[in-house]
């Protein structure tokens, strides 16, 4: 597996002859044969993964002058699910996630931002999360609680018959490096808030980011304070 980020870091440290490919965004040093080779390997596969051919049936949830957002659900046709997975793999690779399974794959909603060049330049995966996690993190959460106690409480909550408010967890958010700072992540999140639960617009504190990266924290802090 190619480590895109590491190459960026390495190239950044060298500074020497660092080039940014204007189509795939990889930073590499053109006068280093190994870098060149890795770029060649990465380039085509990356572009194939983010290319969007267009589907007969697509669920457009938002449209903009520079693109549109489509929603892919787990029961959609194979080609749609496959594309969503392909883009998720790219995002995971860049985030350094390895085979991280979604907490509730059957309920995951994948939002893809397609630009006017028919490239998937943004991907956001939202999953319903339950208040359960918050409850387990209350201050009375004892450090010496055994695993069995923990499971018991967890189970008790999960089996609760009282209606639990479903909140929205953002398990992945990724924007193509060459398309950042154009409000793509912001627009994807706004769209999630308006479409995630039928008939209601989620408030900012009903959304949670799971394990944010430094980029993710900067973005989330900005987003949640505006
Ligand atoms: N540094 C500082 N501020 C930032 C950054 C950053 N890297 N990224 C976003 N912001 C802030 C800015 O204030 C920005 O507004 P401005 O451009 O007018 O100053 C505001 O957030 C809105 O940013 P967007 O343009 O909407 O965000 P973008 O489309 O660039 O996407 C994202 C942000 C998704 C974090 C992108 O940088 C990315 O894909 N990074 C790599 C993957 C990653 O780390 N994803 C987050 C993982 S956490 C998770 O998945 C739960
Ligand atoms: Zn390239």
């Amino acid at each position: 597996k190619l480590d895109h980020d590491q190459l960026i870091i390495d190239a950044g440290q060298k500074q020497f002859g660092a080039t940014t490919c204007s189509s795939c965004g990889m930073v590499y040093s053109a006068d280093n044969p190994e870098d060149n080779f890795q770029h060649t390997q990465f380039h085509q596969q990356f572009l194939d993964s983010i290319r969007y051919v267009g589907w007969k049936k697509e669920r457009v949830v938002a449209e903009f002058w520079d693109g549109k957002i489509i929603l892919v659900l787990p029961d959609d046709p194979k080609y749609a699910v496959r594309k969503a997975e392909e883009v998720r793999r790219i995002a995971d690779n860049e985030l350094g996630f390895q085979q991280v399974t979604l907490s509730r794959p059957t309920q995951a909603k994948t939002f893809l931002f397609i630009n006017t060049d028919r490239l998937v330049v943004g991907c956001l995966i939202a999953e319903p999360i339950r208040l359960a996690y918050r409850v387990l993190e209350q201050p009375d959460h004892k450090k010496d609680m055994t695993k069995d106690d923990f499971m018991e409480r967890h189970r008790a909550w999960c089996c609760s018959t009282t209606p639990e408010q479903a909140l929205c967890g953002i398990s992945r958010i990724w924007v193509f490096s060459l398309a950042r700072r154009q409000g793509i992540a912001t627009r994807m999140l706004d769209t999630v808030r308006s479409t995630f639960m039928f008939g209601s617009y989620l408030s900012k504190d009903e959304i949670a980011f799971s394990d944010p990266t430094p980029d993710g924290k900067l973005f989330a802090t900005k987003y949640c304070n505006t």
Side-chain angles (χ1 to χ4, degrees):
K1 264 275 151 79
L2 286 171
D3 191 341
H4 188 214
D5 276 352
Q6 191 56 45
L7 286 169
I8 291 178
I9 292 163
D10 288 347
Q13 282 164 347
K14 279 184 224 143
Q15 281 304 330
F16 243 74
T19 315
T20 305
C21 174
S22 59
S23 7
C24 76
M26 181 166 160
V27 181
Y28 65 105
S29 101
D31 38 46
N32 177 331
E34 208 173 300
D35 261 27
N36 257 320
F37 175 73
Q38 293 212 293
H39 171 242
T40 314
Q41 294 249 301
F42 175 82
H43 185 93
Q44 201 52 49
Q45 204 209 330
F46 178 85
L47 291 176
D48 286 346
S49 299
I50 67 166
R51 184 165 298 119
Y52 175 76
V53 292
W55 305 326
K56 259 184 286 167
K57 277 195 204 165
E58 55 178 27
R59 203 179 286 105
V60 178
V61 287
E63 281 187 283
F64 307 97
W65 65 273
D66 57 345
K68 63 185 172 190
I69 297 175
I70 61 166
L71 169 61
V72 178
L73 299 175
D75 291 329
D76 280 353
K78 273 263 156 52
Y79 54 81
V81 172
R82 218 178 293 129
K83 180 52 74 178
E85 275 170 4
E86 214 175 352
V87 177
R88 173 158 80 97
R89 231 172 289 131
I90 291 226
D92 281 0
N93 193 35
E94 205 174 315
L95 292 170
F97 288 179
Q98 276 154 2
Q99 298 175 313
V100 181
T101 48
L102 300 169
S103 60
R104 302 164 120 207
T106 56
Q107 298 189 62
K109 298 183 176 187
T110 306
F111 294 80
L112 301 175
F113 191 106
I114 318 284
N115 73 6
T116 47
D117 292 329
R118 291 173 164 265
L119 297 176
V120 183
V121 293
C123 171
L124 184 155
I125 303 179
E127 297 174 279
I129 51 169
R130 288 171 189 276
L131 229 42
Y133 295 107
R134 285 204 176 164
V135 169
L136 288 168
E137 278 169 12
Q138 292 287 298
D140 69 327
H141 181 103
K142 296 187 210 80
K143 283 232 163 60
D144 57 357
M145 201 160 60
T146 67
K147 193 166 177 256
D148 282 349
D149 289 340
F150 180 84
M151 291 309 287
E152 191 49 53
R153 286 188 54 173
H154 192 65
R155 194 161 40 235
W157 176 262
C158 287
C159 296
S160 162
T161 51
T162 56
E164 295 146 5
Q165 195 188 359
L167 300 177
C168 174
I170 307 300
S171 73
R172 304 285 192 288
I173 183 163
W174 169 86
V175 171
F176 177 31
S177 62
L178 298 178
R180 287 181 193 160
R181 308 302 288 268
Q182 296 168 24
I184 290 176
T186 301
R187 286 180 278 167
M188 287 196 296
L189 258 184
D190 289 344
T191 305
V192 169
R193 288 170 61 198
S194 62
T195 60
F196 193 76
M197 278 202 285
F198 183 77
S200 79
Y201 192 80
L202 293 179
S203 68
K204 284 173 183 172
D205 53 61
E206 285 172 314
I207 306 178
F209 290 80
S210 69
D211 285 336
T213 57
D215 267 357
K217 276 182 195 144
L218 288 165
F219 166 74
T221 310
K222 177 73 198 306
Y223 185 86
C224 294
N225 291 327
T226 47

